[in-house]
Amino acid sequence: MYRTFSKLLLARPKQAGIIAFILALLVFSSVAAEMLLKQKHANQSIALSLAQSHASLLQTAIDKSLSANYALSAMLIEEKGKTHWFPSFAAALQKVYPGISSFALSPNGVVQQVFPLEGNEQSLGFDQFSDTKQGIDTLKAKMTDKLTLSGPLDLVQGGRGVVGRLPVYVTDNDGGQPAFWGFTNIIIRLSSLLESVRFSDLETNNFDYQLVKLNVSQEPSLIIASNTSAMTDSVSVTIDVANAQWRLMLSPKEGWLPIWRIVSEFFIILLASILLGRWVYLALKMREGKAELEILVERRTAQLSSSILRMKAILAAIPDSFYEADDEGVVADYHSPRMDEWHSRPDWPIGKHYTELLPKESVAIFTKAMSEAKEHGQSNGYEYFYDFGNERRWFDISTTHSSDLDGTNGFYILLSREITHRKTVESELRIAATAFQTQDGILITDHNNKIIRVNAAFETITGYKESEVKGQAPSIINSGRHSKSFYQEMYQRLNKSGSWEGEVWNRRKNGEIFPEWLSISVVKDDNSELTHYVATFKDISETKANERRINQLNYYDSLTRLPNRRMITEDIENLLENTDLKHRRSAILFIDLDHFKDINDLKGHHLGDILLQQVASRLMDSTRSGDLVARFSGDEFVVLLEDVDVSLNPDRIAYRAKHVANKIMTTLAQPFELEGQCCSITASIGISIFGQDSISSSEIIKQSEMAMYEAKGHGRNEVCFYAPQMHKKILERVTLDNSFREALQRDEFVLHYQPQWNGKQEMVGVEALVRWLHPEKGMVAPGVFIPFAEESKLILPLGRWVMRTAMAQLTTWQKEPKYRHFIMSINVSVLQFSHADFVSEVEDALSQTGANPALIQLELTESMLVRDQLDIIQKMQSLKKLGVLISLDDFGTGYSSLSYLQQLPIDQLKIDQSFTRAIEESDKQASLAASIIGLGHNLGMEVIAEGVETQEQFDWLKAHNCDLYQGFLLGRPQPSEDFSIEKQSDS
């Protein structure tokens, strides 16, 4: 039809031009009419706004004037109906209410007083009840006891106005019921009222207006109007006044739309329609010669469109995604409704290289598939994934490659099929297959409750092979301990809730009755029809035995749920008493967590408890079911290995103990996750092997504990077997502990001072070194007691003594001029610096000894910097506020970073003596010392070298601008009474 109509128009361009003219005239006229109507509505909105503004002003003026009645009424009530006050009070009110022309009092409705009197004399004696025009309103005011507004009306005193009156009730002097006294009246002249609200502006704005009073049962009465003719097309606003309603109506004098505007619009529409008709005529004349060509093109286009529609229909029927890419891998076209839906836009891959669209792993797969397709013409069997937000989807891709005969204009066709569901099913099948081989027994029946499948754990627990129970009912393993009602209730709950769980006693094939924890689930198909029952159970014989022990003896640790010290002690005693250990041996592994206290101190006891629970879990996983793992105390665990026969191999138990210990060390070396925080810990393990010649459980545990301490003495994170000589070491350690504590009390410690020199070999300071002068053993080497003091934490009282003694010595020396500028270097241990009150201890020592803080230098080891960095920075800053100097000792042997080092307020770097000794060994070793000197100077620090023992070392260091020197070449440590400022000879 459209084509026929087009041909008709092309054949008759003149008629087409006329039709275009008529249609344009109709359309333009419709548009113009709509625009004029909108203009009219806009003008009416403006007029309505103007009317509302004037109505609001008018209502406000009337309400304000009427409120004067309340003031008059209040005075009448106050004066018990007397009126001597009226003239003066009315005069005052007139200043407040300039819109009121006069005030009047009318006892019993008869006007007796009026103000101002001049010009209002005729109103005196006016009876408001009997007046034909005001009588009704007067009577209504009295009956309703409300303020009323009468008018507009011709006033007795002349002119037109409105009267507001308020009935007044006055109580006599006896305090009786209020009686009607009369009215208070205010008179408002209309001329003054309208002038005050500027009604004349409406005419100025070219509007006619009418103000009418609305009557309930009568036609509205005209109050005032600029044009008394009926207003048929106007806007209006209603005004509520006292007991009446007024209405203000506005209408433009020249109408809402001027005639000239309508005429001009008509001529414009006519001219535009003529021009459009002419343009259509000319256009059709030009196309008349091309009509046949267009028809031919249209026919071919229709055929092509039909082919495209068929192709789209074919592609829409294929659920797979289709992509076309050029020889470089840039996507040129694609079809993938599902991908469009996921990406929320239809053109997401066009013009992009496939490497921009895929994750790195999938890009590698695409590259391999496309390379194979380019080489062999096609490829398939490749799988890739694409992440949509947090969801990963998998796809299978098949690729072909084509090009022109000369190898140019190559392109790829890629067909992608989503296989996410298949991958999920495959994964679930693998998981199900793995889960089916769990240590729990699994039994599957059909809907008739006939066994169709069991797992290996079922066979192990019950003793039945799958072939023996297949096709049988689960009752084949019933123990007979449960009644019929028990099983009826079980199946009722299964049918109701779809699952059942509880404790059941069953019978093994050998007749043994055992307890199990049984869970049964119902499997239903898509139609909610029952298809299978799946039962999983666990042999809880050992659990029941443990429950009996818990209920009877309470031998378990509440935190880790492991047996406690008492239980493992009694188990060892039971093993010693009730087991023939002549040819059997067992072993105790005593496990102590290294530096566990640091975790409690740094991370809190809550995370420490979580760590202990995880350690307990790993220990259980590292041992056999016949072994017993117990928590012995805080961070100590004990493992009692199951006894083994050693008649053929005496070392069998030692091999097993070593194997279990190594397994525990390996599993504990794995990081722990403590509420989002990563934590690593090691353990020291002592092993004690025992047999029938063992004395008691306490002796066995004591031996394993000794072995554990030996492991700690080897540097921790070690395994050590008990040997008799360990007892001697423990005894020596206990003796050392007692002697050390007595030495602190008896002041057996002394300080020796080793000089520090500048490049001119002038002594500038000393380092305080602690020595132990034992009353029996003589001078004890620091290498013997310092490590023990740090391990036992006795370094804290020793460190405080060293600090106070050294400061006191400096104060004594400062009294001599030659020692006045000496700097006293005092070593501080890691444990001492980590103490929370360390800064306060330094401050107290300075205060008590009177030492100059600017001459006190605290030496901290570089290894200390790997601890809590924030705490170190805060403490160093606090020390600097006290005025003391800070030296970094043994520099070069630790692992401090330069970025961290430059944040610390360090005054001096001390080159470790190992670097000083290496200066003469090789140029490479010497360059390390030179680098440390340069680093210290670049960081604005003083550099001192310790261990200077040869003149060659001194000369080399001086040549490389080292600041200070310390070593046997220049001076050995001396007690204070033998100290001399002069250089000592090395002899």
Side-chain angles (χ1 to χ4, degrees):
M1 181 178 179
Y2 170 76
R3 186 178 297 174
T4 304
F5 184 68
S6 299
K7 288 182 178 180
L8 183 62
L9 291 179
L10 288 172
R12 300 179 180 180
K14 185 174 182 181
Q15 289 81 349
I18 294 173
I19 292 173
F21 165 75
I22 295 172
L23 291 175
L25 187 61
L26 293 175
V27 172
F28 291 159
S29 297
S30 176
V31 172
E34 182 66 24
M35 292 176 63
L36 291 174
L37 182 60
K38 288 182 179 179
Q39 183 62 45
K40 177 182 178 181
H41 290 162
N43 293 340
Q44 286 177 335
S45 297
I46 295 172
L48 180 61
S49 177
L50 188 62
Q52 289 172 340
S53 175
H54 281 76
S56 175
L57 292 173
L58 179 61
Q59 184 172 9
T60 301
I62 293 174
D63 290 344
K64 179 180 178 183
S65 298
L66 290 176
S67 66
N69 277 299
Y70 295 106
L72 294 172
S73 173
M75 285 299 296
L76 280 170
I77 295 171
E78 179 70 22
E79 296 295 332
K80 305 296 185 181
K82 297 178 181 180
T83 62
H84 61 275
W85 49 269
F86 175 72
S88 59
F89 188 71
L93 284 179
Q94 194 166 40
K95 294 178 181 180
V96 179
Y97 300 96
I100 300 175
S101 62
S102 58
F103 303 86
L105 298 178
S106 50
N108 294 317
V110 179
V111 178
Q112 298 294 334
Q113 288 187 317
V114 64
F115 180 88
L117 181 60
E118 184 179 353
N120 296 306
E121 295 86 349
Q122 295 182 9
S123 62
L124 294 174
F126 176 70
D127 188 347
Q128 295 172 325
F129 284 110
S130 60
D131 185 71
T132 57
K133 294 183 178 181
Q134 299 187 40
I136 295 175
D137 289 340
T138 302
L139 183 60
K140 182 184 295 183
K142 179 181 179 182
M143 294 179 67
T144 61
D145 192 19
K146 291 182 180 179
L147 176 68
T148 60
L149 183 69
S150 299
L153 45 81
D154 295 326
L155 302 174
V156 175
Q157 54 269 54
R160 285 179 63 80
V162 292
V163 178
R165 61 176 58 86
L166 177 66
V168 180
Y169 290 82
V170 177
T171 306
D172 56 20
N173 293 328
D174 296 333
Q177 292 294 325
F180 175 69
W181 179 87
F183 298 98
T184 62
N185 306 271
I186 58 100
I187 296 90
I188 306 172
R189 293 187 181 276
L190 283 178
S191 58
S192 300
L193 177 63
L194 297 179
E195 182 179 354
S196 67
V197 297
R198 303 179 63 87
F199 260 53
S200 59
D201 290 350
L202 295 175
E203 291 190 88
T204 304
N205 291 326
N206 207 27
F207 283 101
D208 287 330
Y209 65 88
Q210 289 183 359
L211 181 63
V212 299
K213 179 180 180 182
L214 302 179
N215 299 310
V216 178
S217 58
Q218 301 177 6
E219 289 293 325
S221 55
L222 184 65
I223 299 174
I224 190 169
S226 62
N227 187 343
T228 57
S229 302
M231 290 187 176
T232 56
D233 190 11
S234 62
V235 295
S236 62
V237 179
T238 301
I239 307 169
D240 293 321
V241 290
N243 60 321
Q245 285 187 328
W246 293 3
R247 178 175 292 164
L248 175 62
M249 297 181 290
L250 293 186
S251 178
K253 293 183 178 182
E254 296 181 0
W256 298 108
L257 294 173
I259 296 299
W260 65 266
R261 172 75 182 273
I262 298 173
V263 173
S264 63
E265 291 281 353
F266 172 75
F267 280 109
I268 292 172
I269 291 169
L270 182 62
L271 178 60
S273 301
I274 292 171
L275 291 175
L276 182 61
R278 179 63 179 172
W279 179 83
V280 170
Y281 171 75
L282 294 175
L284 290 177
K285 289 292 286 183
M286 292 175 63
R287 289 190 60 188
E288 190 173 9
K290 301 178 183 178
E292 290 298 328
L293 180 60
E294 289 182 357
I295 292 172
L296 179 61
V297 170
E298 185 178 357
R299 185 181 297 116
R300 297 297 298 168
T301 301
Q303 292 174 354
L304 182 60
S305 298
S306 178
S307 299
I308 292 174
L309 287 175
R310 285 194 297 271
M311 182 60 68
K312 286 183 176 180
I314 293 171
L315 291 176
I318 300 175
D320 303 334
S321 299
F322 164 87
Y323 301 89
E324 180 183 345
D326 62 19
D327 220 5
E328 301 298 324
V330 177
V331 178
D333 197 6
Y334 83 108
H335 171 80
S336 181
R338 181 175 296 179
M339 295 290 280
D340 289 345
E341 179 182 346
W342 290 336
H343 281 279
S344 302
R345 62 189 189 90
D347 60 344
W348 61 276
I350 298 297
K352 295 182 180 178
H353 196 271
Y354 70 91
T355 57
E356 302 177 49
L357 303 171
L358 300 169
K360 182 170 64 176
E361 297 87 345
S362 297
V363 166
I365 295 170
F366 257 69
T367 302
K368 187 174 182 181
M370 295 171 74
S371 298
E372 182 179 321
K374 191 167 187 178
E375 181 179 354
H376 302 291
Q378 64 178 10
S379 67
N380 52 56
Y382 290 95
E383 296 179 358
Y384 72 97
F385 65 85
Y386 195 96
D387 292 327
F388 294 88
N390 295 327
E391 184 180 5
R392 173 165 292 185
R393 296 182 178 272
W394 287 89
F395 301 86
D396 177 274
I397 183 173
S398 299
T399 310
T400 62
H401 182 270
S402 301
S403 62
D404 294 342
L405 296 177
D406 57 358
T408 61
N409 298 325
F411 62 93
Y412 294 93
I413 299 297
L414 302 97
L415 193 64
S416 175
R417 171 170 296 177
E418 187 186 0
I419 58 171
T420 305
H421 179 69
R422 191 189 79 191
K423 296 279 286 187
T424 302
V425 171
E426 290 174 353
S427 176
E428 289 177 352
L429 288 174
R430 286 193 297 270
I431 293 172
T434 303
F436 198 76
Q437 299 307 319
T438 181
Q439 294 181 354
D440 294 344
I442 299 178
L443 177 149
I444 302 175
T445 71
D446 60 16
H447 66 285
N448 293 320
N449 206 21
K450 299 297 182 182
I451 298 174
I452 60 173
R453 184 80 186 274
V454 298
N455 69 345
F458 175 94
E459 296 177 342
T460 301
I461 295 171
T462 65
Y464 286 100
K465 297 294 183 182
E466 185 180 48
S467 58
E468 295 175 313
V469 298
K470 203 168 185 178
Q472 301 289 332
S475 59
I476 190 174
I477 59 174
N478 280 2
S479 65
R481 284 196 177 188
H482 302 290
S483 63
K484 281 187 176 181
S485 60
F486 173 84
Y487 292 103
Q488 288 173 353
E489 183 180 349
M490 174 194 294
Y491 281 99
Q492 286 175 0
R493 187 175 300 179
L494 271 173
N495 295 330
K496 183 178 181 180
S497 62
S499 64
W500 183 91
E501 189 175 44
E503 184 179 307
V504 174
W505 288 84
N506 275 329
R507 186 186 305 274
R508 307 187 204 274
K509 184 179 179 181
N510 62 9
E512 178 188 354
I513 296 175
F514 68 101
E516 68 179 30
W517 187 260
L518 176 63
S519 298
I520 306 176
S521 299
V522 173
V523 180
K524 296 183 179 181
D525 60 16
D526 295 337
N527 298 320
S528 297
E529 294 292 330
L530 188 149
T531 60
H532 298 85
Y533 292 99
V534 177
T536 61
F537 63 91
K538 180 182 295 185
D539 186 347
I540 59 173
S541 301
E542 185 177 352
T543 304
K544 297 291 286 185
N546 290 337
E547 287 177 355
R548 287 194 297 272
R549 289 182 181 178
I550 293 172
N551 293 333
Q552 295 172 8
L553 304 174
N554 193 22
Y555 281 170
Y556 285 82
D557 176 55
S558 60
L559 177 64
T560 62
R561 304 298 181 186
L562 292 177
N564 58 18
R565 179 189 301 192
R566 183 177 179 184
M567 182 174 181
I568 196 166
T569 301
E570 292 192 6
D571 276 12
I572 297 173
E573 291 290 348
N574 182 62
L575 185 63
L576 292 173
E577 294 175 4
N578 302 319
T579 305
D580 183 5
L581 297 179
K582 183 177 181 180
H583 299 292
R584 303 185 71 82
R585 294 289 184 272
S586 183
I588 286 289
L589 278 65
F590 198 105
I591 304 162
D592 181 88
L593 303 182
D594 298 328
H595 302 297
F596 176 76
K597 184 179 183 301
D598 293 344
I599 294 175
N600 268 343
D601 293 341
L602 296 176
K603 299 183 180 296
H605 289 274
H606 172 62
L607 294 184
D609 289 346
I610 295 176
L611 176 61
L612 291 175
Q613 291 172 339
Q614 294 187 17
V615 167
S617 177
R618 295 192 185 184
L619 291 177
M620 292 294 294
D621 293 340
S622 302
T623 55
R624 297 178 181 176
S625 59
D627 303 330
L628 180 63
V629 180
R631 184 187 179 197
F632 197 70
S633 64
D635 62 335
E636 296 175 335
F637 297 85
V638 173
V639 178
L640 171 61
L641 298 183
E642 185 179 15
D643 57 294
V644 297
D645 187 353
V646 295
S647 57
L648 297 179
N649 183 3
D651 294 329
R652 181 182 176 191
I653 186 63
Y655 292 149
R656 170 130 202 280
K658 181 67 173 177
H659 172 74
V660 173
N662 289 337
K663 188 174 182 181
I664 290 173
M665 299 282 280
T666 301
T667 189
L668 293 183
Q670 301 300 316
F672 291 84
E673 185 75 13
L674 307 179
E675 293 188 353
Q677 300 185 41
C678 188
C679 175
S680 296
I681 198 168
T682 59
S684 299
I685 303 177
I687 303 174
S688 174
I689 298 173
F690 65 94
Q692 66 176 5
D693 54 347
S694 298
I695 301 172
S696 65
S697 59
S698 59
E699 184 65 22
I700 296 169
I701 294 174
K702 183 179 178 181
Q703 291 175 358
S704 63
E705 187 175 11
M706 289 181 186
M708 180 271 294
Y709 280 116
E710 185 70 9
K712 282 188 177 292
H714 291 170
R716 294 183 170 84
N717 195 26
E718 292 287 341
V719 177
C720 188
F721 282 82
Y722 170 78
Q725 58 268 30
M726 291 180 182
H727 187 76
K728 181 180 178 182
K729 282 191 175 182
I730 296 296
L731 184 60
E732 291 175 351
R733 177 185 175 86
V734 172
T735 303
L736 179 60
D737 183 270
N738 293 333
S739 298
F740 194 101
R741 294 179 189 274
E742 291 175 358
L744 287 172
Q745 297 174 0
R746 298 173 182 175
D747 294 328
E748 294 176 4
F749 293 99
V750 295
L751 290 183
H752 286 191
Y753 303 90
Q754 186 173 23
Q756 296 176 341
W757 309 78
N758 61 18
K760 298 178 181 179
Q761 295 194 5
E762 297 171 340
M763 190 183 300
V764 295
V766 295
E767 179 182 3
L769 302 172
V770 66
R771 298 291 186 265
W772 183 4
L773 185 57
H774 195 279
E776 298 175 2
K777 300 179 180 179
M779 193 68 71
V780 181
V784 174
F785 68 87
I786 291 296
F788 166 78
E790 291 184 340
E791 183 178 348
S792 63
K793 299 186 179 178
L794 292 173
I795 195 70
L796 294 175
L798 179 62
R800 287 193 289 268
W801 178 86
V802 169
M803 186 183 301
R804 293 177 187 274
T805 305
M807 289 184 180
Q809 183 63 56
L810 178 65
T811 304
T812 301
W813 278 343
Q814 285 178 340
K815 297 176 183 179
E816 299 181 36
K818 60 182 179 180
Y819 296 119
R820 187 166 297 162
H821 302 293
F822 261 34
I823 293 177
M824 177 68 73
S825 295
I826 304 172
N827 288 288
V828 177
S829 72
V830 175
L831 186 61
Q832 188 179 2
F833 186 84
S834 302
H835 200 267
D837 298 326
F838 175 72
V839 178
S840 300
E841 292 174 0
V842 175
E843 187 175 9
D844 292 341
L846 289 170
S847 176
Q848 294 174 11
T849 61
N852 183 356
L855 299 178
I856 298 297
Q857 184 160 262
L858 301 180
E859 290 195 6
L860 313 176
T861 60
E862 187 186 9
S863 60
M864 185 184 300
L865 303 184
V866 301
R867 300 173 71 86
D868 188 352
Q869 296 183 1
L870 179 60
D871 181 65
I872 290 172
I873 293 173
Q874 290 176 345
K875 283 183 177 176
M876 284 191 177
Q877 291 173 345
S878 299
L879 291 172
K880 294 302 293 180
K881 289 180 180 178
L882 296 178
V884 302
L885 303 173
I886 298 177
S887 174
L888 191 59
D889 196 5
D890 300 334
F891 185 76
T893 61
Y895 302 92
S896 57
S897 67
L898 296 182
S899 61
Y900 175 37
L901 192 62
Q902 67 181 358
Q903 300 177 39
L904 303 177
I906 297 174
D907 304 287
Q908 184 187 81
L909 289 184
K910 176 175 279 192
I911 303 175
D912 185 74
Q913 59 184 346
S914 61
F915 293 96
T916 305
R917 288 195 299 267
I919 288 174
E920 298 173 290
E921 296 177 5
S922 67
D923 293 338
K924 183 176 181 181
Q925 295 292 334
S927 64
L928 293 176
S931 298
I932 295 175
I933 295 172
L935 173 63
H937 289 161
N938 290 334
L939 293 176
M941 301 176 188
E942 184 182 62
V943 180
I944 181 173
E946 68 175 356
V948 180
E949 298 179 355
T950 67
Q951 187 64 41
E952 289 77 13
Q953 293 172 352
F954 178 88
D955 294 338
W956 188 94
L957 289 167
K958 183 177 180 181
H960 285 80
N961 299 319
C962 185
D963 301 306
L964 302 177
Y965 312 84
Q966 180 180 344
F968 288 173
L969 174 68
L970 303 172
R972 294 177 179 272
Q974 309 168 53
S976 59
E977 57 269 22
D978 299 334
F979 190 80
S980 173
I981 197 170
E982 301 298 329
K983 178 183 176 184
Q984 305 168 14
S985 64
D986 195 37
S987 61

